[in-house]
Amino acid sequence: MAYADALRAATATMETAATLIEGLVTDFARAAGTSLINTTTTSSSGVDYTSASVSITAAANDRVLIIARNGVSNSNSGNIVTFDVYEDATRLDPGGRFYCARASVDGFDSILEQTHYRTPSAGAHTYKIKWYTNANTAYSYGFELIALAFQQV
């Protein structure tokens, strides 16, 4: 609780808080894009989402927060668009599937988001988004993928 105790001290300043927070984050990576892309992949294993990949290095016992979001639509109403987040070759289970099922070709119809909090093994890890549709064409006009490694205190 040294971090919290230092912040509670009457002499704590914003500089002190920034220094403490800086010491907590051990690695950070972010990828984002705003180009209209599409896929017709219907395999539930998905296809890599263009440029949606980040790599970080976690120390032993680090906690990693992964936030993934994208704007999606499908060319036909009633067909779905969904995505998965992978840590290296392992799909991270969000506890259910989130999907868009409305018709539009602009990639803006729905915002899908997943958040994962992990304790991976020490070493380098790659996080990426794979996406797919059940029929027709899926569109996306933007994504953001963030991975933050935190020191366990």
Side-chain angles (χ1 to χ4, degrees), residues 81-101:
V81 181
T82 193
F83 76 97
D84 293 314
V85 177
Y86 281 76
E87 178 181 78
D88 302 320
T90 303
R91 177 183 168 269
L92 303 181
D93 186 358
R97 297 261 186 205
F98 305 95
Y99 59 88
C100 162

Side-chain angles (χ1 to χ4, degrees), residues 99-121:
Y99 59 88
C100 162
R102 294 184 47 174
S104 172
V105 295
D106 63 8
F108 279 122
D109 190 65
S110 298
I111 301 294
L112 303 179
E113 183 171 325
Q114 289 185 27
T115 303
H116 300 273
Y117 192 58
R118 314 257 309 139
T119 306
S121 59

Side-chain angles (χ1 to χ4, degrees), residues 20-37:
L20 291 171
I21 291 168
E22 186 175 60
L24 283 175
V25 177
T26 60
D27 204 354
F28 168 81
R30 177 182 179 267
T34 56
S35 297
L36 183 63
I37 62 173

Side-chain angles (χ1 to χ4, degrees), residues 21-136:
I21 291 168
E22 186 175 60
L24 283 175
V25 177
T26 60
D27 204 354
F28 168 81
R30 177 182 179 267
T34 56
S35 297
L36 183 63
I37 62 173
N38 66 68
T39 186
T40 56
T41 300
T42 57
S43 166
S44 62
S45 60
V47 62
D48 288 351
Y49 188 107
T50 305
S51 301
S53 177
V54 296
S55 295
I56 63 170
T57 300
N61 299 315
D62 270 2
R63 308 290 180 161
V64 175
L65 175 67
I66 306 104
I67 302 167
R69 64 178 64 97
N70 60 6
V72 297
S73 62
N74 191 293
S75 58
N76 284 13
S77 183
N79 295 312
I80 68 166
V81 181
T82 193
F83 76 97
D84 293 314
V85 177
Y86 281 76
E87 178 181 78
D88 302 320
T90 303
R91 177 183 168 269
L92 303 181
D93 186 358
R97 297 261 186 205
F98 305 95
Y99 59 88
C100 162
R102 294 184 47 174
S104 172
V105 295
D106 63 8
F108 279 122
D109 190 65
S110 298
I111 301 294
L112 303 179
E113 183 171 325
Q114 289 185 27
T115 303
H116 300 273
Y117 192 58
R118 314 257 309 139
T119 306
S121 59
H125 296 281
T126 299
Y127 297 91
K128 66 181 176 179
I129 296 173
K130 288 188 169 194
W131 68 315
Y132 61 94
T133 182
N134 68 328
N136 298 302

